[in-house]
Amino acid sequence: MEVASVLRVLLVGPPGAGKGTQAALLASAAAVPHLSTGEMFRQAVAHGTPTGERVRALLDQGALVSDDVTVGVVREQLSSADCERGFVLDGFPRTIPQALALDEMLLDLGLVLDAAVALTVPREVLVARLTGRRVCPQCGGVYQLAGGSPGVEAACPRCGTVLVTRDDDRPEVQARRLEVYWRETAPLLEYYARDGRLVAVDGDQPVEKVASSLKAAIDGRMRR
Ligand code: AP5
């Protein structure tokens, strides 16, 4: 993938849409940080930090962390030197107040968002992907079990650790997360469409095809 000198995008989509997968590929190709609020919160929980203690139960239930806490975490990252050449935001913003706060942050920093990318995937595919997802507790690798059959534990191809199911991929929590997405996050599509920042990408294709569609969709919007 051709590397832009500056890239500032965010990925929005329901749980299992492939935000994390695509954000990692895009950020690595453009050599900018991949900022996943979900991953930041999971790390905080794993390390028992004060933020982790505050958000643990919310993540377990598939509920959203408060806008205040989330915006605070992102503000810290965006104002760091690491993000000078851009960023790929994954899972933020997730509510209209978060989107407003992001626009304010960018204005304060004198930055412009290149695009808000919406990944669209049918519900039955999302459920199959969440059910089949396994993650490596050691190196953070994310994988998909063929056929999505639960209970078949495999080893991480990168480090050999036994893969696990993410706590919030339990069926009852999946359903709650999907419901929260449609209620709290889907209105962002209209928010970003209104001023032409939204680009939609078909996320129901093989990973590499989604990546090339995404690149084609944002090419030309990147500042060089
Ligand atoms: P977060 O980690 O952001 O979870 P999510 O939005 O529910 O998204 P997922 O990680 O489930 O899915 P994804 O779209 O990244 O898909 P992935 O690439 O992994 O947030 C977790 C929690 O943190 C939230 O519930 C909330 O509590 C809190 N939180 C986070 N941000 C917040 C915010 N801004 N405000 C408040 N609270 C916040 O792919 C899924 C699976 O499919 C994987 O197995 C992958 O290998 C596979 N896959 C990916 N693409 C494809 C493809 N094209 N074809 C086949 N398989 C694929």
Side-chain angles (χ1 to χ4, degrees):
M1 189 187 284
E2 189 191 327
V3 177
S5 57
V6 178
L7 173 70
R8 296 189 182 98
V9 299
L10 63 88
L11 302 189
V12 61
K19 303 181 296 297
T21 303
Q22 295 301 326
L25 292 172
L26 187 59
S28 152
V32 297
H34 167 193
L35 304 178
S36 159
T37 40
E39 194 50 36
M40 288 174 209
F41 291 140
R42 280 188 291 280
Q43 287 297 322
V45 170
H47 292 102
T49 68
T51 300
E53 293 309 316
R54 272 175 90 176
V55 306
R56 180 189 299 273
L58 295 166
L59 263 67
D60 265 2
Q61 295 155 14
L64 293 184
V65 174
S66 75
D67 289 336
D68 278 3
V69 169
T70 309
V71 167
V73 164
V74 173
R75 190 188 304 278
E76 199 178 309
Q77 298 281 333
L78 286 190
S79 28
S80 80
D82 287 357
C83 289
E84 260 172 18
R85 289 192 50 258
F87 51 79
V88 179
L89 276 168
D90 158 13
F92 179 91
R94 237 171 166 103
T95 63
I96 293 288
Q98 290 182 15
L100 292 167
L102 175 62
D103 279 342
E104 225 174 276
M105 269 182 245
L106 294 174
L107 194 66
D108 286 351
L109 294 165
L111 304 176
V112 175
L113 186 72
D114 297 317
V117 180
L119 290 177
T120 59
V121 177
R123 186 187 167 96
E124 64 276 14
V125 177
L126 298 172
V127 171
R129 284 187 189 172
L130 294 174
T131 306
R133 175 163 53 192
R134 294 295 180 274
V135 295
C136 177
Q138 184 64 33
C139 73
V142 179
Y143 307 97
Q144 187 59 211
L145 289 184
S149 55
V152 184
E153 300 303 350
C156 175
R158 275 205 302 232
C159 71
T161 306
V162 173
L163 301 178
V164 298
T165 302
R166 224 169 83 176
D167 283 344
D168 60 355
D169 279 345
R170 298 190 310 276
E172 65 281 14
V173 188
Q174 279 181 25
R176 172 91 192 272
R177 287 161 60 211
L178 286 164
E179 179 199 314
V180 168
Y181 171 80
W182 289 112
R183 194 178 60 238
E184 304 284 346
T185 309
L188 293 181
L189 304 181
E190 166 64 21
Y191 178 83
Y192 287 113
R194 232 181 281 148
D195 57 11
R197 287 183 290 177
L198 188 77
V199 293
V201 170
D202 177 6
D204 187 17
Q205 314 177 73
V207 170
E208 302 70 29
K209 284 223 160 168
V210 178
S212 55
S213 304
L214 201 163
K215 183 185 177 297
I218 61 175
D219 238 4
R221 288 173 174 253
M222 301 172 185
R223 270 138 255 275
R224 289 170 204 280

